[in-house]
Amino acid sequence: MIACLDLEGVLVPEIWINVSERTGIAALRRTTRDEPDYDKLMRHRIGILDQRGLALADIQAVIRRMGPLDGAREFLAWLRSRHQVIILSDTFYEFAAPLMEQLDHPCLFCNSLVVDQQGRVRDYRLRIRDGKRKAVMALKLLNFEVIAAGDSYNDTTMLAEADAGILFRPPDNVVRDFPQFPVTHTYDELRAAFTAAAQR
């Protein structure tokens, strides 16, 4: 059995919401909870960073002040003591390093940013389109059973592909659009959902 988790909204706060709050740029609050088209969302974000003259270092400075969600470290330690765990995220390695250190360096599959010589974010590179779902598909081809948990639109194909998919603290619009997934709101509920799924 392998457990696959989203990162933002499941183990750590939403990075872009924190950047929005620190910079006062309300338009950066938009996340995959609001916009299911990831490319459209990232083009929007990169455009705002360019207009406002924000560099990668500015975003990294915000991230260095962030920490895991309350209870996330303990939940992840519990899960890792029972299953192999892979974090499947649409974030970027350039953002994630300080957060991974605080989570005791779990395995992370994510994407990369294209940064110019002045440190400005110019583009992004997906490892592969629909990477979360395809990672679960590959694990199943290797004869693993997969339980997956996420919170947003961009997690739903991963949840559907897994042997069991669980929503964690999703917004109402995601719950409404994907009623087939059980909904959890606390780490105790998420533990119980993983335990139940593993016993099927």
Side-chain angles (χ1 to χ4, degrees):
M1 180 77 71
I2 290 187
C4 293
L5 301 176
D6 180 34
L7 179 63
E8 295 177 64
V10 175
L11 297 174
V12 303
E14 294 282 350
I15 290 171
W16 289 99
I17 289 176
N18 275 266
V19 172
S20 171
E21 289 171 353
R22 295 280 183 173
T23 61
I25 303 171
L28 287 176
R29 287 189 65 84
R30 195 163 178 78
T31 72
T32 53
R33 289 171 164 236
D34 313 298
E35 174 54 68
D37 185 330
Y38 187 72
D39 185 66
K40 181 178 178 183
L41 180 63
M42 277 306 301
R43 300 287 167 211
H44 170 74
R45 290 167 170 168
I46 291 169
I48 291 171
L49 296 179
D50 189 49
Q51 291 167 10
R52 299 298 186 101
L54 293 173
L56 174 60
D58 299 310
I59 300 169
Q60 289 172 327
V62 173
I63 295 167
R64 279 193 293 274
R65 292 193 291 267
M66 291 171 58
L69 294 170
D70 288 343
R73 280 177 56 95
E74 295 79 8
F75 167 75
L76 185 57
W78 172 86
L79 191 61
R80 290 173 83 179
S81 74
R82 286 156 178 79
H83 307 290
Q84 296 178 79
V85 178
I86 300 175
I87 310 299
L88 300 178
S89 177
D90 283 333
T91 193
F92 305 94
Y93 289 111
E94 293 84 355
F95 289 177
L99 297 170
M100 292 299 98
E101 184 175 348
Q102 295 180 66
L103 292 169
D104 296 324
H105 300 284
C107 178
L108 171 67
F109 296 172
C110 65
N111 303 306
S112 300
L113 292 170
V114 177
V115 181
D116 69 16
Q117 291 184 336
Q118 287 71 47
R120 297 283 187 86
V121 178
R122 294 304 180 196
D123 203 351
Y124 72 99
R125 290 202 181 106
L126 292 181
R127 178 162 303 283
I128 188 172
R129 289 203 173 277
D130 202 9
K132 295 183 182 188
R133 180 180 68 87
K134 289 176 180 172
V136 171
M137 287 174 64
L139 291 168
K140 289 169 71 178
L141 284 171
L142 292 169
N143 207 27
F144 286 106
E145 291 185 27
V146 179
I147 304 172
D151 71 317
S152 296
Y153 281 111
N154 66 324
D155 299 312
T156 55
T157 61
M158 167 180 77
L159 302 187
E161 186 64 40
D163 295 287
I166 306 161
L167 285 168
F168 181 68
R169 297 180 182 166
D172 290 342
N173 53 331
V174 174
V175 175
R176 183 183 62 246
D177 291 347
F178 297 92
Q180 67 268 41
F181 301 125
V183 177
T184 59
H185 297 283
T186 68
Y187 287 115
D188 284 343
E189 291 176 358
L190 191 56
R191 280 188 190 93
F194 265 96
T195 299
Q199 291 172 348
R200 285 182 191 165

